[in-house]
Amino acid sequence: MSTEAVRQPQQDRSRATRQRLLAAAIDCLAELGWTGSTVSVVAERAGVSRGAAQHHFPTREDLVTAAIEYVAEERLAHLRQGLPDLPPGRDRTEFVVDTIGEMYASKLFSAALQLWVAASSDAQLREKVVPLEARVGREAHRMTVEALGADESRPGVREAVQATLDLARGLGLANLLTDDAKRRSRVLRQWAMTLDAALS
C-alpha cells in the first residue's frame, strides 16, 4: 500500500474530526453560551478526546476563531440553499422573507449571537467577529437582493431589503428566550406584503 493511500484515509479522518469539533462548538455556543463552551466540553460533545481537540485547535481562541469562520460560512450556506429561483411576485417575496426569518431563528444565529455578546466585552474576540459579521451582512444582503430580483437603483428598495434583514435579526433575537414562532410567522407574512409592494 502506498504512502499516499495511507495518508488519504488519515486526512479524511482528520477532516471529519475537525468538522465534528466545529459542529460541536456551534451546538455548545448555542446551548451553553460562551462561558460554557470550553475546549473540554466541545471535545466531549464531538466525541473526541481533549488531546485530539487540542491537536486541531491548540487553544480555546483557535477553536473559537475557527468556529466564528464556520458559523459565518454555515449561515451563508443556509441562506444560499434556502433561496430559490422563483418567478417574481408575492409568493417569491414571501418565501424569501420566510427563509431569512428561519435563518435568524436557527441554532447558527444563536451561536453567532453568543459570539457577539462575548465580543462586546472582549477586544481580541471583537477584532475577529466584526469583519466576519460585516462580510456575512454584505453577502446576506446581496443574496437577498438577488433572490428577490430587486432593483436597488429604485428609491427605497435597498432600505427595504436591509429592513427585511434587520427585522428578521430582531425576531431571531426575540426567539432566543422563548419560542416566538407564531408571532414571527405573522410579522414576517405582513412584512412580505409590505416588501412586495415596495418592490413592485
Side-chain angles (χ1 to χ4, degrees):
M1 184 179 270
S2 73
T3 307
E4 184 60 33
V6 171
R7 195 175 306 132
Q8 189 60 38
Q10 287 173 325
Q11 289 173 342
D12 290 347
R13 283 194 305 275
S14 181
R15 270 192 294 274
T17 298
R18 180 180 171 83
Q19 186 67 28
R20 283 199 324 270
L21 284 163
L22 291 173
I26 300 311
D27 288 344
C28 289
L29 283 167
E31 295 168 23
L32 306 172
W34 170 252
T35 55
S37 299
T38 64
V39 174
S40 295
V41 169
V42 170
E44 184 177 328
R45 177 74 61 99
V48 303
S49 69
R50 182 178 166 92
Q54 288 182 315
H55 169 74
H56 289 278
F57 305 106
T59 67
R60 182 178 187 205
E61 289 71 26
D62 293 329
L63 175 60
V64 169
T65 300
I68 292 167
E69 292 172 7
Y70 180 74
V71 167
E73 289 306 317
E74 287 296 304
R75 285 170 59 206
L76 290 172
H78 182 262
L79 188 56
R80 267 186 222 103
Q81 290 169 359
L83 296 177
D85 186 17
L86 296 172
R90 190 168 172 179
D91 287 345
R92 174 163 89 175
T93 303
E94 192 170 314
F95 189 90
V96 170
V97 169
D98 284 344
T99 300
I100 291 166
E102 287 172 19
M103 180 185 82
Y104 283 108
S106 73
K107 177 173 45 174
L108 290 170
F109 180 67
S110 294
L113 195 56
Q114 295 296 332
L115 291 173
W116 291 3
V117 171
S120 71
S121 60
D122 181 330
Q124 198 172 15
L125 185 58
R126 187 170 40 250
E127 285 178 22
K128 293 177 169 112
V129 171
V130 169
L132 281 167
E133 280 303 318
R135 188 180 59 126
V136 169
R138 284 190 306 273
E139 189 64 10
H141 186 96
R142 185 195 64 73
M143 286 190 294
T144 303
V145 167
E146 190 176 296
L148 290 167
D151 178 3
E152 286 194 299
S153 68
R154 293 182 47 224
V157 170
R158 179 172 180 71
E159 291 78 8
V161 170
Q162 189 58 50
T164 302
L165 294 165
D166 292 344
L167 173 65
R169 190 179 303 114
L171 290 169
L173 181 60
N175 198 61
L176 194 63
L177 297 176
T178 60
D179 182 3
D180 206 29
K182 288 181 183 175
R183 184 177 75 89
R184 183 175 63 251
S185 180
R186 288 192 310 271
V187 170
L188 289 175
R189 193 172 17 241
Q190 181 62 44
W191 176 252
M193 288 189 285
T194 303
L195 178 61
D196 195 55
L199 297 175
S200 300

